[in-house]
Amino acid sequence: MASESHHKENLHNLQLEDEGQHRNPSEVKMSQIVLPCHANHCGELSIGQLLKWMDCTACLSAERHAGCPCVTASVDDIYFEHTIGVGQVVNIKAKVNRAFNSSMEVGIEVSCEDLYSGRHWRVCQAFATFVAKRTDANKVQLRQVVPCTHQEQVEHSLAAERRRMRLIHHDIIQDLLNNKTFQRSISEENHDEDEALPTERTRVESVELVLPPHANHQVNTFGGQIMAWMENVATIAASRLCNAHPTLRAIDMFHFRGPSQVGDRLVLKAIVNNTFKNSMEVGVCAEAYHRDEPLRHINSAFMTFEVLDEKGRPCPLPPIKPEPQEGQRRYQEALARKKIRLDRKYIISCKQTEVPLSVPWDTSNQIYLSYNNVSALKMLAAKNNWDLCSKKNNVSLYTVEESQSLCFRVEFEMEIPAQRAFILLSDISRRHEWDQHYILCKLLLRVDEDDFIYQVVTPSVSKGGQYQDFILLASRRPPCDSGDPYVIALRSVALPSHPPTEEFHRGEVVCAGFTIYEVSKSVSKISYYNQASPEVLPYISTDIAGLSSSFYSIFCACRQYLLDNIMCTSAFTPSAL
Ligand code: COA
Ligand code: ADP
């Protein structure tokens, strides 16, 4: 609940931030000079060593927050933007963005520093999840992280959405790989058999004995150590294919399925799964055994390597001929992962609102588009330069004007439980009951229980002009814990089955939606946000200029709709197609 004292505390901390005094209590920093013993034969810091330092810094940050030992559960995709040379300094900063139950997200930033020129540059950013472990068998309940600065508030809010994405990541990829249409499109990829290199020559198998220096104080093997061993075998496999020095560009999400301890033998296996024009995917599998016990699957990872020429440009790689059966399956799955990787990189690493609205929605990028949808709204809501434009009948209109965009927020408080308001406002197909601009709203696709795609028809902006239609992805999210708002995010997507037609002018929504805060058990603060696109601007510019108050009447109607339906018992389940 957003209490007054909490607001005051935040205000105080935001002032501290402005004065540059705030330091997150879980923040841990590590600085290392890269020595020849940390580098490969080309004088570049080995990524394995970097992963060890990153994991160690992040683990110490997690333990600082948890106050007890923590283990690495997963590390999200990492993209390495630069290599680091011997003699340069690596600076790593880690802090806990958010604690959930027994797990927490740790944000890790890696930068490089040249001591002679004083220059600094970013190498990568990563998000790792750590799980707090007590020696007794009971699950730990972590204390919450209280975000203090504006940046921490944004990260705290986005962490909830990233958690959702990582917990369904594996299932989404499996669903996609099993999807018949997707399999067909992949098998149609043609490759030149004559020039293809057999992958068998790239196969690597290597064993490691886990010794005390590889483990933490609980005798569990450090996650970073396992990642470093995996990177080592993957680099050997990649080098065998290209007979040159490969550079690691990206690692797909790591998930530590089970622990390993001192005394375990770790068997690491790697092979090139596929090559693309300028890059290759190497798969690695780590399994552990102890004495004559059966092998335990610890981790599998997929790494993307490039071979760079002397000017740093990627060189073309030869096609490969996979082994039959398993090799063939992995070859095809690597193609699928490449598509997913590209979507993910494009949609997630782009600035939220710069992802083109024409990105076609499909099952392979659905979680990333939903992530983008929710996080764009959360970032819009978190802007700290909202100006109150006017207030009427307890409905306030705020705006943020930036060089490229005009965003507005309409806000009111009313007597309704937040969850009830969320259920009623989530049902976009009922919006016409309070918003006269929604002439028609048709549910096109139920993506999952929280994401839906609608076609919305609105009147023309100009007199006598054509009706407009929008294809909108609506993503609704209940709070992750108390203090979070309910969120209903809307953005345009292109749905290949519903291209623009002559009947309507196709409009686009960059970012819009609601946040609903519980002020008390029976009172909610409802905020509607919109990053105004040219299609929406004419509706609101007169309100912002103070020339009309149509927006107030719409949101008064919204308040009335909520009051009229406050007792309505049916939970929101959009009707079938
Ligand atoms: N990514 C992020 N978090 C994950 C996850 C994943 N892939 N899988 C599980 N979690 C989180 C859960 O969401 C849960 O968080 P919460 O308590 O905040 O809600 C937490 O881990 C525990 O989940 P639970 O279902 O109770 O346990 P589990 O049986 O799924 O075990 C681990 C999860 C991580 C504890 C377990 O897989 C493990 O011990 N892995 C090895 C960890 C390790 O030793 N790493 C070092 C290298 S070996
Ligand atoms: P999958 O086979 O579905 O990809 P695994 O977890 O079995 O998943 O393996 C992950 C990756 O590790 C594989 O894609 C492959 O690249 C590599 N790998 C697995 N087993 C071997 C092996 N016996 N030899 C070499 N590499 C292997």
Side-chain angles (χ1 to χ4, degrees):
M1 210 182 302
S3 69
E4 182 124 332
S5 64
H6 185 77
H7 278 311
K8 274 196 188 138
E9 188 190 329
N10 273 355
L11 207 64
H12 173 65
N13 286 318
L14 288 172
Q15 279 161 0
L16 285 183
E17 177 190 30
D18 290 343
E19 291 158 24
Q21 290 172 12
H22 173 72
R23 177 160 178 168
N24 185 302
S26 69
E27 186 180 291
V28 170
K29 290 178 180 176
M30 181 187 275
S31 289
Q32 300 276 355
I33 292 196
V34 179
L35 301 174
C37 62
H38 303 132
N40 57 31
H41 57 280
C42 295
E44 291 162 357
L45 171 65
S46 92
I47 297 282
Q49 179 60 62
L50 178 61
L51 291 170
K52 278 203 260 184
W53 287 334
M54 287 165 69
D55 181 62
C56 180
T57 318
C59 181
L60 295 180
S61 167
E63 292 189 347
R64 200 169 209 178
H65 180 77
C68 64
C70 297
V71 292
T72 323
S74 69
V75 183
D76 296 359
D77 303 358
I78 314 180
Y79 298 94
F80 297 98
E81 294 168 27
H82 299 281
T83 54
I84 305 172
V86 169
Q88 290 176 327
V89 169
V90 182
N91 294 308
I92 304 171
K93 199 158 82 177
K95 66 176 168 59
V96 177
N97 289 333
R98 185 163 189 150
F100 302 100
N101 301 306
S102 66
S103 70
M104 65 211 113
E105 180 189 280
V106 183
I108 311 164
E109 278 171 29
V110 181
S111 64
C112 182
E113 177 183 352
D114 186 279
L115 290 175
Y116 299 108
S117 64
R119 228 163 46 88
H120 288 249
W121 59 95
R122 192 170 102 140
V123 173
C124 69
Q125 185 192 28
F127 297 102
T129 304
F130 282 79
V131 175
K133 293 263 169 192
R134 269 211 211 99
T135 33
D136 57 53
N138 296 337
K139 198 168 160 166
V140 175
Q141 182 61 50
L142 292 167
R143 71 189 153 88
Q144 289 190 5
V145 169
V146 181
C148 289
T149 65
H150 180 250
Q151 190 53 36
E152 283 175 15
Q153 275 169 358
V154 174
E155 287 303 341
H156 184 265
S157 177
L158 297 186
E161 195 56 21
R162 282 193 289 262
R163 167 182 160 92
R164 177 186 167 92
M165 193 166 64
R166 67 178 73 95
L167 292 180
I168 57 170
H169 180 260
H170 177 75
D171 294 346
I172 291 277
I173 293 197
Q174 285 313 309
D175 283 356
L176 181 69
L177 294 177
N178 297 332
N179 179 307
K180 290 271 174 296
T181 331
F182 200 72
Q183 284 172 353
R184 220 172 304 124
S185 71
I186 286 171
S187 59
E188 280 160 13
E189 293 260 336
N190 48 3
H191 37 93
D192 197 344
E193 285 279 327
D194 294 342
E195 287 177 37
L197 292 178
T199 47
E200 193 47 32
R201 60 187 269 189
T202 70
R203 189 187 291 276
V204 184
E205 183 177 319
S206 178
V207 70
E208 299 281 352
L209 171 62
V210 181
L211 295 171
H214 303 133
N216 62 15
H217 31 301
Q218 299 300 310
V219 300
N220 277 322
T221 318
F222 260 122
Q225 179 61 68
I226 296 180
M227 293 192 274
W229 283 329
M230 293 172 83
E231 189 266 342
N232 173 52
V233 289
T235 305
I236 299 174
S239 312
R240 284 185 179 162
L241 182 102
C242 59
N243 298 122
H245 167 66
T247 300
L248 181 56
R249 277 286 172 232
I251 307 180
D252 286 9
M253 190 179 287
F254 266 108
H255 171 209
F256 289 96
R257 293 156 189 258
S260 141
Q261 283 95 20
V262 169
D264 273 347
R265 277 71 170 159
L266 275 190
V267 182
L268 301 134
K269 296 173 187 160
I271 196 163
V272 173
N273 285 337
N274 206 336
T275 56
F276 312 107
K277 196 162 170 287
N278 291 323
S279 65
M280 67 180 108
E281 182 198 273
V282 182
V284 201
C285 173
E287 292 166 313
Y289 69 91
H290 193 72
R291 303 219 174 89
D292 46 5
E293 289 164 11
L295 280 173
R296 297 170 345 250
H297 188 181
I298 300 291
N299 205 324
S300 288
F302 300 96
M303 306 192 185
T304 305
F305 288 87
E306 285 176 350
V307 177
L308 304 177
D309 66 15
E310 60 291 348
K311 289 194 174 140
R313 290 171 309 206
C315 306
L317 292 168
I320 58 146
K321 190 158 46 184
E323 293 288 288
Q325 290 161 3
E326 283 288 270
Q328 189 63 37
R329 172 181 64 80
R330 289 175 182 146
Y331 177 93
Q332 298 204 340
E333 292 182 355
L335 279 170
R337 278 188 295 267
K338 176 166 162 75
K339 167 161 174 36
I340 294 169
R341 215 171 276 139
L342 285 176
D343 283 343
R344 189 164 50 195
K345 184 172 177 190
Y346 188 55
I347 298 172
I348 293 177
S349 58
C350 253
K351 267 193 170 169
Q352 302 299 326
T353 47
E354 284 175 7
V355 175
L357 294 165
S358 51
V359 171
W361 182 94
D362 69 33
T363 45
S364 72
N365 62 21
Q366 78 180 47
I367 46 167
Y368 313 115
L369 279 172
S370 296
Y371 170 80
N372 179 275
N373 192 16
V374 175
S375 56
L377 182 68
K378 287 186 168 187
M379 282 163 83
L380 180 58
K383 280 186 189 293
N384 54 4
N385 49 346
W386 286 104
D387 287 327
L388 178 63
C389 200
S390 53
K391 189 168 180 175
K392 193 172 163 186
N393 297 337
N394 285 325
V395 179
S396 307
L397 177 64
Y398 296 82
T399 56
V400 179
E401 261 186 87
E402 285 170 356
S403 55
Q404 300 292 320
S405 68
L406 170 73
C407 306
F408 66 90
R409 166 173 132 215
V410 183
E411 195 164 271
F412 57 94
E413 273 190 20
M414 66 176 287
E415 202 143 328
I416 185 169
Q419 193 198 21
R420 191 106 288 272
F422 173 63
I423 291 171
L424 289 167
L425 293 173
S426 303
D427 192 352
I428 312 290
S429 59
R430 291 188 68 183
R431 182 151 163 181
H432 66 274
E433 294 184 34
W434 57 271
D435 184 351
Q436 78 228 27
H437 297 115
Y438 271 50
I439 295 178
L440 184 124
C441 181
K442 194 163 119 196
L443 177 67
L444 299 179
L445 192 69
R446 189 192 169 110
V447 178
D448 57 38
E449 60 182 34
D450 290 322
D451 294 85
F452 308 88
I453 299 181
Y454 294 93
Q455 181 191 25
V456 171
V457 176
T458 66
S460 140
V461 187
S462 58
K463 235 183 180 174
Q466 211 182 4
Y467 279 78
Q468 300 191 96
D469 78 339
F470 297 81
I471 304 295
L472 297 183
L473 170 65
S475 307
R476 58 175 195 170
R477 302 285 183 266
C480 189
D481 55 42
S482 62
D484 268 345
Y486 289 86
V487 172
I488 304 161
L490 300 165
R491 65 160 275 159
S492 278
V493 286
L495 199 57
S497 56
H498 288 76
T501 58
E502 295 207 335
E503 195 184 348
F504 303 114
H505 169 74
R506 177 65 51 91
E508 288 185 330
V509 171
V510 186
C511 170
F514 292 92
T515 63
I516 304 160
Y517 276 95
E518 186 179 90
V519 177
S520 70
K521 283 263 169 289
S522 59
V523 177
S524 305
K525 183 170 82 180
I526 299 173
S527 312
Y528 174 76
Y529 296 86
N530 198 316
Q531 177 172 341
S533 55
E535 288 82 8
V536 179
L537 208 53
Y539 293 123
I540 55 139
S541 53
T542 48
D543 286 72
I544 292 171
L547 300 174
S548 87
S549 54
S550 61
F551 244 70
Y552 298 109
S553 36
I554 294 176
F555 283 91
C556 286
C558 176
R559 194 158 48 185
Q560 195 56 47
Y561 159 78
L562 294 172
L563 284 175
D564 291 346
N565 291 282
I566 199 163
M567 301 307 284
C568 171
T569 47
S570 69
F572 162 52
T573 39
S575 47
L577 296 180

